Amino acid sequence: MRYLLIVLLLLCTSVATADVLSGRVVDSESGEPLEGVRIMCLMTSPDGLGGTYKRFATNVDGKFLTVVSSMSKVTLNINYLGYETFSKELICSGGTKDTINLGDLKMKMTDVLMKELMVDAKVRRF
């Protein structure tokens, strides 16, 4: 019985594999890295029945690193104020490659700007 349990645990760990997804978000014109870019990663199963998502942001160098489940379809939605929304889809097949490097993801500045911004606040008296 104990040996059967050990074999089952080993089989479960070999099935539950993951890939590491990395990349860098930059401005398309200047090539400067963009810090604090919000990224939403949607992972759906191959049969399309279920999915999970993660939210994270880029660091000061514009880089990101996240773990995604193997054997899934991954959709990245990248948003940053003043830039057009960027989407990228890929399939994680669960092969021998553990790290998937997307390289530089170039974001274009948007033509739509805020017309007016009004801040309303009260000063606290001391």
Side-chain angles (χ1 to χ4, degrees), residues 9-124:
L9 286 174
L10 288 174
L11 287 175
C12 289
T13 57
S14 65
V15 172
T17 59
D19 291 324
V20 176
L21 192 64
S22 67
R24 187 172 81 137
V25 180
V26 297
D27 184 279
S28 64
E29 292 179 14
S30 67
E32 292 289 320
L34 300 175
E35 176 186 0
V37 176
R38 294 175 300 179
I39 302 173
M40 188 175 96
C41 177
L42 175 65
M43 296 169 281
T44 54
S45 61
D47 56 10
L49 294 177
T52 59
Y53 70 92
K54 289 182 171 185
R55 292 180 188 224
F56 50 94
T58 59
N59 64 9
V60 294
D61 297 324
K63 295 180 180 179
F64 65 89
L65 183 77
T66 188
V67 176
V68 295
S69 58
S70 293
M71 303 300 290
S72 65
K73 177 182 172 186
V74 177
T75 305
L76 292 176
N77 290 317
I78 304 171
N79 296 307
Y80 197 56
L81 185 63
Y83 289 84
E84 294 177 3
T85 301
F86 181 85
S87 273
K88 184 163 183 83
E89 289 187 3
L90 56 127
I91 304 290
C92 294
S93 61
T96 58
K97 196 171 193 179
D98 289 336
T99 301
I100 302 169
N101 188 354
L102 299 176
D104 287 348
L105 303 176
K106 298 179 180 180
M107 294 190 72
K108 294 180 184 177
M109 291 189 79
T110 184
D111 295 333
V112 180
L113 298 174
M114 285 189 218
K115 291 183 180 180
E116 184 178 335
L117 178 66
M118 185 173 178
V119 177
D120 187 20
K122 294 182 180 181
V123 178
R124 193 172 174 189

